[in-house]
Amino acid sequence: MRFSALLRFSALSCLAATALLAFTALPQALAVETPQLVQKDGRYTLLVEGRPFLILGGQIHNSSAWPSEFEQVWKSIAALHANTVEAPVYWEQFEPQPGHFDFTNVDQIVEGARAHNLHAILLWFGTWKNGNMHYVPDWVKADTKRFPRTIRPDGEPIDVLSPNSRNTLEADKAAFVALMRHLKQIDNEQHTVLLIQVENESGNIGSVRDNSAEANKEFAGQVPADLLAAEHKQAGTWSQVFGSEADETFQAYHQAKYINEIAAAGKAEFAIPYYINVWIDYPLPMLPQRQVAVPGIVYPSGGAVQKLVGLWRALAPSIDMIGPDIYTNDSPFYRLTMAAYHRPDNPLWIPETGRDDSFAKFFFYALGDGALGFSPFGVDQTGWNILGDQQWKAHANNFALIEPMSREIALLEFEGKLKTAVEEPGQTAQEIDFGGWQATVAYGFPQPDGGRAPGTKDAHGAALVAQLGPDEFLVTGVDASVSFHLPGKLPWIRSQILSAEQGTYENGVWKPLRRWNGDETDRGLCFYEKPEVVRVKLGRF
């Protein structure tokens, strides 16, 4: 995986606060430093202006990146308390005629983000959008000879462009290069745009691979050497080498090479981090509308689904990371999916997830796993959503809690000092282990003395605890209490709270608002209804 050289951070030795303050005093020259992904000790962060940055994202609807919609978009992102907007760039709008580019929408996204003190992530809707070709220009759709469609095994074409077409690749690449060249002109100093998504949930819906005469001829031949090396396979035809997986592997190979070439050409113009998002592989019981577990039906064939992440990392080195789009609130599967993409060669980043309240607790799972960011989809007020009417206040509550200290949280994640606990049905209490200290997290209220915590009705409780020093912690939560204790002992046995300050971070400096004591500390630090953060110092006796 190609990443920029590591920035030399000083480790948190005694107090994390010391390092946090040090970052606020970095030289002014770093203010225009290019965003970059950095890895240290197996953990990743996104550096923005030379400091770790946590993406609190909101992705707008597919048809909302138009000037007529921007007023409500900015209001919606503000209501979400997000710090980053994810907005699409449409090939059909950007290049309405071959070689003629319209920068109107792109400019308004960047200018609007700046005006509202936001960063932006641009999503390139090019050859693929959700396994189809629906955002390509009319002149591409109309010329099926120059830009061939994917052909099904029965000979029928589908509304997906073939990744085996050089003409289509060159056309997409030329448009993408024009976009990146323009971004460099308008954003090379301020770096409002943090990341570029190359295509959107790429792959075929309707056929596992292209079955055109040209593709079939290649499929009958020898597997390319670079794929054999990546998969540690011996030479042979596609069917000989990959058996029942041959068709999907053929599609994935050409698709990954196609997207990698586009990304490499874009980076030659504007070298900020690029990623792809993925329509993941869900078990059939989660997809009652799907009857057969076949690529091209249950997910776009060729995409970087869970089993193909490693292959994509090898074949597409110009893509800096792969992020899963997760639209199930099944907690075990959600966490397994995060684990599949949280790899030594791939940072964890959730570019899309459900916006309703049942998805909000996964934000805390993501933070505990060191995610670079988290972004619910469909957060603007167009009145349309494929999921229908929903209650979705919880993401805004989470972001309101974390946003004032998002830089500090990003640094603590990168230093491996942050841990979370998340409620699951029937599990009303959990332990967080920091070695010399432990924290008991109990969910739901009221919590009677000597009694079991009741939990919440929908198991949404969560807590975040970060170690600032040997005996100092930053604590917050949602419908949860946090009680510190020594290993093997109950709270208040040989331990005590020296101080518990409620406060907030302002420009990297902790600003205390009031001190908690008595009822606010005797039964643990309780976080209920209001977004509050406490900095606690502990002592032994």
Side-chain angles (χ1 to χ4, degrees):
M1 188 174 188
R2 296 179 183 175
F3 288 94
S4 303
L6 298 181
L7 188 70
R8 288 187 173 87
F9 287 111
S10 56
L12 287 175
S13 54
C14 203
L15 292 176
T18 303
L20 297 176
L21 290 171
F23 274 105
T24 66
L26 287 173
Q28 185 64 33
L30 291 181
V32 294
E33 198 170 87
T34 302
Q36 59 179 311
L37 292 170
V38 177
Q39 183 183 22
K40 184 177 74 170
D41 299 331
R43 295 182 295 272
Y44 290 91
T45 195
L46 174 66
L47 293 184
V48 176
E49 299 177 355
R51 296 182 294 151
F53 184 87
L54 175 65
I55 299 170
L56 304 176
Q59 183 169 153
I60 63 177
H61 285 105
N62 294 166
S63 300
S64 293
W66 292 91
S68 63
E69 297 297 321
F70 284 138
E71 182 178 356
Q72 64 86 13
V73 163
W74 305 127
K75 290 179 181 178
S76 300
I77 296 298
L80 182 62
H81 300 281
N83 60 24
T84 305
V85 60
E86 289 185 40
V89 177
Y90 316 116
W91 186 7
E92 62 180 351
Q93 179 275 328
F94 184 73
E95 191 181 11
Q97 299 296 328
H100 296 276
F101 301 106
D102 181 351
F103 303 112
T104 303
N105 290 20
V106 174
D107 289 347
Q108 291 206 21
I109 293 169
V110 175
E111 292 166 5
R114 289 174 184 164
H116 293 85
N117 197 30
L118 296 167
H119 284 284
I121 296 171
L122 298 186
L123 321 175
W124 175 240
F125 285 10
T127 297
W128 290 283
K129 194 325 188 149
N130 292 20
N132 292 111
M133 54 174 282
H134 296 164
Y135 283 85
V136 304
D138 294 354
W139 52 270
V140 173
K141 294 176 183 176
D143 193 345
T144 57
K145 183 176 181 180
R146 183 182 173 195
F147 306 110
R149 308 290 182 90
T150 291
I151 306 298
R152 297 191 320 194
D154 62 2
E156 290 293 324
I158 58 176
D159 62 342
V160 185
L161 294 167
S162 171
N164 301 76
S165 168
R166 191 73 209 175
N167 286 341
T168 309
L169 170 56
E170 291 294 343
D172 190 330
K173 182 169 66 173
F176 188 73
V177 165
L179 173 62
M180 294 303 104
R181 185 177 297 134
H182 181 70
L183 282 180
K184 184 174 183 179
Q185 292 171 350
I186 67 171
D187 199 41
N188 196 40
E189 294 297 324
Q190 293 179 257
H191 290 296
T192 301
V193 179
L194 302 180
L195 304 173
I196 300 293
Q197 179 183 292
V198 189
E199 313 295 343
N200 187 91
E201 295 184 348
S202 64
N204 291 343
I205 287 292
S207 181
V208 182
R209 67 169 176 88
D210 184 12
N211 292 271
S212 65
E214 296 81 2
N216 285 342
K217 181 179 179 181
E218 183 178 346
F219 185 77
Q222 296 291 299
V223 174
D226 58 343
L227 179 55
L228 292 173
E231 292 288 271
H232 307 289
K233 301 282 189 180
Q234 298 299 313
T237 67
W238 289 86
S239 295
Q240 289 170 343
V241 174
F242 295 107
S244 63
E245 302 289 323
D247 287 326
E248 184 179 8
T249 306
F250 183 85
Q251 173 71 20
Y253 175 79
H254 288 284
Q255 193 171 308
K257 301 279 280 188
Y258 184 113
I259 291 177
N260 184 69
E261 185 170 333
I262 291 173
K267 278 191 171 180
E269 298 290 338
F270 195 43
I272 63 175
Y274 291 20
Y275 74 94
I276 62 168
N277 66 328
V278 184
W279 178 335
I280 60 174
D281 180 9
Y282 295 93
L284 273 183
M286 294 183 184
L287 302 169
Q289 72 277 25
R290 310 287 189 183
Q291 301 300 318
V292 183
V294 175
I297 296 178
V298 297
Y299 58 84
S301 179
V305 293
Q306 295 92 313
K307 65 181 179 181
L308 294 177
V309 179
L311 178 60
W312 267 83
R313 296 302 309 124
L315 295 176
S318 292
I319 295 296
D320 296 293
M321 59 181 173
I322 301 172
D325 296 346
I326 312 179
Y327 285 100
T328 175
N329 56 12
D330 180 90
S331 187
F333 181 77
Y334 202 111
R335 293 151 64 193
L336 282 173
T337 300
M338 288 198 302
Y341 290 87
H342 188 196
R343 298 162 46 101
D345 62 355
N346 195 66
L348 180 60
W349 153 233
I350 310 298
E352 290 185 37
T353 196
R355 72 174 189 175
D356 74 71
D357 288 355
S358 67
F359 287 85
K361 75 178 188 181
F362 299 113
F363 174 63
F364 289 94
Y365 274 125
L367 291 180
D369 284 345
L372 304 185
F374 189 88
S375 182
F377 169 78
V379 298
D380 61 306
Q381 307 294 328
T382 63
W384 180 93
N385 193 287
I386 193 171
L387 300 176
D389 294 333
Q390 301 165 323
Q391 293 295 316
W392 52 293
K393 297 179 180 178
H395 286 302
N397 292 339
N398 287 347
F399 284 9
L401 175 65
I402 298 300
E403 196 279 329
M405 57 179 179
S406 60
R407 289 284 195 170
E408 288 72 29
I409 294 299
L411 176 59
L412 289 162
E413 279 188 299
F414 189 46
E415 293 290 346
K417 301 292 186 179
L418 184 149
K419 297 186 179 185
T420 60
V422 182
E423 183 183 5
E424 293 295 344
Q427 186 179 43
T428 61
Q430 290 176 272
E431 291 290 314
I432 301 178
D433 187 2
F434 286 95
W437 289 100
Q438 289 185 295
T440 301
V441 180
Y443 304 110
F445 294 98
Q447 295 185 6
D449 291 345
R452 176 185 172 92
T456 64
K457 289 189 296 184
D458 54 357
H460 69 261
L464 179 154
V465 183
Q467 189 163 23
L468 303 180
D471 302 312
E472 187 172 1
F473 296 86
L474 190 70
V475 191
T476 189
V478 175
D479 285 341
S481 69
V482 179
S483 301
F484 287 93
H485 61 94
L486 296 172
K489 298 185 181 296
L490 294 172
W492 308 110
I493 302 299
R494 295 285 182 175
S495 67
Q496 60 186 330
I497 293 176
L498 298 179
S499 67
E501 291 180 340
Q502 178 192 336
T504 187
Y505 281 98
E506 293 181 7
N507 299 319
V509 178
W510 175 254
K511 299 289 187 180
L513 299 174
R514 63 168 177 157
R515 194 157 178 155
W516 285 14
N517 214 326
D519 290 339
E520 283 70 42
T521 59
D522 291 350
R523 297 166 181 82
L525 308 173
C526 296
F527 302 94
Y528 181 58
E529 293 184 340
K530 295 181 180 179
E532 295 173 327
V533 182
V534 173
R535 188 163 170 166
V536 60
K537 293 181 181 179
L538 306 175
R540 300 170 176 84
F541 61 86

